[in-house]
PDB file of all heavy atoms in Angstrom:
ATOM      1  N   THR V   1       0.817  -1.209   0.000  1.00 81.00           N
ATOM      2  CA  THR V   1       0.000   0.000   0.000  1.00 81.00           C
ATOM      3  C   THR V   1       0.854   1.265   0.000  1.00 81.00           C
ATOM      4  O   THR V   1       0.355   2.328   0.306  1.00 81.00           O
ATOM      5  CB  THR V   1      -0.930   0.011   1.211  1.00 81.00           C
ATOM      6  OG1 THR V   1      -0.147   0.022   2.407  1.00 81.00           O
ATOM      7  CG2 THR V   1      -1.874  -1.192   1.212  1.00 81.00           C
ATOM      8  N   PHE V   2       2.133   1.141  -0.320  1.00 85.00           N
ATOM      9  CA  PHE V   2       3.013   2.307  -0.320  1.00 85.00           C
ATOM     10  C   PHE V   2       2.546   3.309  -1.366  1.00 85.00           C
ATOM     11  O   PHE V   2       2.315   2.973  -2.517  1.00 85.00           O
ATOM     12  CB  PHE V   2       4.451   1.885  -0.620  1.00 85.00           C
ATOM     13  CG  PHE V   2       5.407   3.037  -0.672  1.00 85.00           C
ATOM     14  CD1 PHE V   2       5.894   3.612   0.482  1.00 85.00           C
ATOM     15  CD2 PHE V   2       5.819   3.551  -1.889  1.00 85.00           C
ATOM     16  CE1 PHE V   2       6.779   4.678   0.441  1.00 85.00           C
ATOM     17  CE2 PHE V   2       6.705   4.615  -1.950  1.00 85.00           C
ATOM     18  CZ  PHE V   2       7.178   5.173  -0.782  1.00 85.00           C
ATOM     19  N   ASP V   3       2.380   4.556  -0.941  1.00 90.00           N
ATOM     20  CA  ASP V   3       1.993   5.644  -1.839  1.00 90.00           C
ATOM     21  C   ASP V   3       3.058   6.722  -1.705  1.00 90.00           C
ATOM     22  O   ASP V   3       3.171   7.366  -0.660  1.00 90.00           O
ATOM     23  CB  ASP V   3       0.621   6.189  -1.444  1.00 90.00           C
ATOM     24  CG  ASP V   3       0.143   7.319  -2.342  1.00 90.00           C
ATOM     25  OD1 ASP V   3       0.961   7.942  -3.056  1.00 90.00           O
ATOM     26  OD2 ASP V   3      -1.067   7.594  -2.312  1.00 90.00           O
ATOM     27  N   GLU V   4       3.851   6.922  -2.759  1.00 88.00           N
ATOM     28  CA  GLU V   4       4.960   7.879  -2.677  1.00 88.00           C
ATOM     29  C   GLU V   4       4.505   9.304  -2.425  1.00 88.00           C
ATOM     30  O   GLU V   4       5.293  10.147  -2.012  1.00 88.00           O
ATOM     31  CB  GLU V   4       5.837   7.804  -3.913  1.00 88.00           C
ATOM     32  CG  GLU V   4       5.155   8.163  -5.195  1.00 88.00           C
ATOM     33  CD  GLU V   4       6.035   7.907  -6.404  1.00 88.00           C
ATOM     34  OE1 GLU V   4       6.885   7.004  -6.380  1.00 88.00           O
ATOM     35  OE2 GLU V   4       5.853   8.640  -7.383  1.00 88.00           O
ATOM     36  N   ASN V   5       3.212   9.603  -2.633  1.00 93.00           N
ATOM     37  CA  ASN V   5       2.686  10.935  -2.362  1.00 93.00           C
ATOM     38  C   ASN V   5       2.282  11.114  -0.903  1.00 93.00           C
ATOM     39  O   ASN V   5       2.016  12.232  -0.472  1.00 93.00           O
ATOM     40  CB  ASN V   5       1.486  11.221  -3.260  1.00 93.00           C
ATOM     41  CG  ASN V   5       1.867  11.251  -4.724  1.00 93.00           C
ATOM     42  OD1 ASN V   5       2.858  11.865  -5.108  1.00 93.00           O
ATOM     43  ND2 ASN V   5       1.104  10.563  -5.551  1.00 93.00           N
ATOM     44  N   VAL V   6       2.219  10.006  -0.148  1.00 94.00           N
ATOM     45  CA  VAL V   6       1.761  10.060   1.239  1.00 94.00           C
ATOM     46  C   VAL V   6       2.794   9.495   2.211  1.00 94.00           C
ATOM     47  O   VAL V   6       3.101  10.095   3.235  1.00 94.00           O
ATOM     48  CB  VAL V   6       0.431   9.277   1.397  1.00 94.00           C
ATOM     49  CG1 VAL V   6      -0.014   9.239   2.848  1.00 94.00           C
ATOM     50  CG2 VAL V   6      -0.654   9.861   0.507  1.00 94.00           C
ATOM     51  N   ASP V   7       3.324   8.331   1.887  1.00 92.00           N
ATOM     52  CA  ASP V   7       4.208   7.616   2.798  1.00 92.00           C
ATOM     53  C   ASP V   7       5.652   8.107   2.686  1.00 92.00           C
ATOM     54  O   ASP V   7       6.127   8.368   1.586  1.00 92.00           O
ATOM     55  CB  ASP V   7       4.180   6.108   2.492  1.00 92.00           C
ATOM     56  CG  ASP V   7       2.808   5.509   2.708  1.00 92.00           C
ATOM     57  OD1 ASP V   7       2.227   5.754   3.779  1.00 92.00           O
ATOM     58  OD2 ASP V   7       2.319   4.807   1.809  1.00 92.00           O
ATOM     59  N   PRO V   8       6.354   8.166   3.821  1.00 92.00           N
ATOM     60  CA  PRO V   8       7.772   8.533   3.759  1.00 92.00           C
ATOM     61  C   PRO V   8       8.583   7.399   3.140  1.00 92.00           C
ATOM     62  O   PRO V   8       8.258   6.229   3.301  1.00 92.00           O
ATOM     63  CB  PRO V   8       8.157   8.742   5.222  1.00 92.00           C
ATOM     64  CG  PRO V   8       7.193   7.904   5.991  1.00 92.00           C
ATOM     65  CD  PRO V   8       5.911   7.922   5.186  1.00 92.00           C
ATOM     66  N   LYS V  28       8.035   0.112   4.332  1.00 92.00           N
ATOM     67  CA  LYS V  28       6.775   0.350   5.036  1.00 92.00           C
ATOM     68  C   LYS V  28       6.323  -0.921   5.746  1.00 92.00           C
ATOM     69  O   LYS V  28       5.919  -0.886   6.907  1.00 92.00           O
ATOM     70  CB  LYS V  28       5.700   0.832   4.061  1.00 92.00           C
ATOM     71  CG  LYS V  28       4.376   1.126   4.745  1.00 92.00           C
ATOM     72  CD  LYS V  28       3.341   1.665   3.783  1.00 92.00           C
ATOM     73  CE  LYS V  28       2.035   1.936   4.497  1.00 92.00           C
ATOM     74  NZ  LYS V  28       1.023   2.497   3.585  1.00 92.00           N
TER      75      LYS V  28
END
Side-chain angles (χ1 to χ4, degrees):
T1 62
F2 178 79
D3 180 342
E4 63 187 30
N5 296 314
V6 176
D7 297 311
K28 181 177 180 178

